[in-house]
Amino acid sequence: FTTDAIYTAPTMDGEPRRVFSVFDDYGHTPWHVCSHSATEVAIFGGEDFTHGNTLMFDAATDNFLYQSKFLDALMAIDRGSGALEWQAGGRFGTFIDEDGDTIDPERAYDVDGPHQTWWSHAHMSHAWPEGFVLYDNGTHHSPLVSRIAAYTWDTSAHTLRRTFAFTNESGVYDPILGDVRRLNGGNYLVSWTMSGMLTEVTPEGRVVWRASAELGSAIGRIDYLESFYP
């Protein structure tokens, strides 16, 4: 098994402080999540229990936001105490979908409810007090296709609702990477990684522009620059 932990920067004595460890502080014995936790890292000779691929900091709550690909879970970790404050999605999620989609703890990877609320093996870079957006790779969706999905949430009441979803017209499926950010005007900037393509999409699902790289190129994490000039 590979290990996921959150550390702060080194202190004055040169030592980093461990804030949270999935294996020591999560409170649940590791389990075989799905076949991908073994097959995607077989080259390294082990299993990848969580595959944490997102770490953000929410200054308003002093929480780290940690997203695990294989657990399909977004967690809030208190920066000071290292306590797990809440979890949205996944086997031990505490959030309720306002539209009614539920997660079976014994088959938490099987997320295709009637409202298509929950995500499958996603990547994430952007959250704000009222919601978040993620790149839903869709590894356990049927049909097998990737999408972007935006949500509103109440982190006190532990409720959320999917408010927007967009699938590329070519039916892109990215088993790895992928990224999306909400822009200031409300549009979404999307990296369809393995297709080497970027798009800007409106909340109504209209593609504003598209850029493609050469065949074989992959575009990973993205950010938006207002201008190249100071």
Side-chain angles (χ1 to χ4, degrees):
F1 288 95
T2 53
T3 302
D4 287 323
I6 299 172
Y7 287 84
T8 60
T11 57
M12 294 298 290
D13 61 7
E15 292 297 322
R17 179 177 70 88
R18 194 181 75 176
V19 177
F20 179 81
S21 165
V22 175
F23 287 98
D24 295 331
D25 306 314
Y26 185 39
H28 303 290
T29 302
W31 67 94
H32 192 260
V33 181
C34 67
S35 61
H36 304 103
S37 64
T39 57
E40 285 198 12
V41 294
I43 190 173
F44 300 113
E47 291 195 25
D48 187 353
F49 171 49
T50 62
H51 196 106
N53 59 26
T54 296
L55 184 63
M56 300 175 290
F57 180 64
D58 181 1
T61 61
D62 203 35
N63 284 339
F64 288 109
L65 296 179
Y66 165 78
Q67 207 278 140
S68 164
K69 175 180 179 179
F70 291 141
L71 301 186
D72 293 322
L74 173 60
M75 308 177 197
I77 312 296
D78 182 86
R79 182 172 67 111
S81 67
L84 175 63
E85 297 290 322
W86 50 254
Q87 175 179 317
R91 183 176 182 182
F92 298 103
T94 58
F95 276 58
I96 295 174
D97 169 34
E98 292 182 351
D99 288 325
D101 278 6
T102 59
I103 297 174
D104 179 353
E106 300 305 316
R107 293 176 57 86
Y109 59 87
D110 186 4
V111 294
D112 279 348
H115 299 284
Q116 296 289 302
T117 296
W118 302 104
W119 53 89
S120 178
H121 294 1
H123 288 73
M124 181 179 179
S125 292
H126 197 184
W128 51 94
E130 299 80 22
F132 62 98
V133 62
L134 50 75
Y135 187 92
D136 182 359
N137 292 71
T139 308
H140 287 284
H141 286 323
S142 180
L144 197 62
V145 65
S146 300
R147 65 176 184 171
I148 62 171
Y151 298 81
T152 57
W153 61 0
D154 185 329
T155 56
S156 297
H158 289 198
T159 59
L160 58 70
R161 172 180 289 170
R162 183 181 61 77
T163 56
F164 175 71
F166 177 81
T167 301
N168 190 280
E169 64 270 24
S170 61
V172 169
Y173 167 60
D174 283 334
I176 61 173
L177 300 173
D179 201 18
V180 55
R181 289 180 181 269
R182 189 184 69 166
L183 305 180
N184 289 336
N187 290 355
Y188 299 96
L189 181 63
V190 191
S191 168
W192 310 91
T193 294
M194 299 307 293
S195 299
M197 181 169 58
L198 296 171
T199 56
E200 181 179 341
V201 183
T202 71
E204 296 74 36
R206 180 177 62 87
V207 175
V208 177
W209 57 262
R210 177 183 291 104
S212 297
E214 294 181 357
L215 184 64
S217 299
I219 302 170
R221 300 282 179 167
I222 54 174
D223 206 345
Y224 181 77
L225 300 177
E226 292 288 345
S227 173
F228 285 109
Y229 306 100

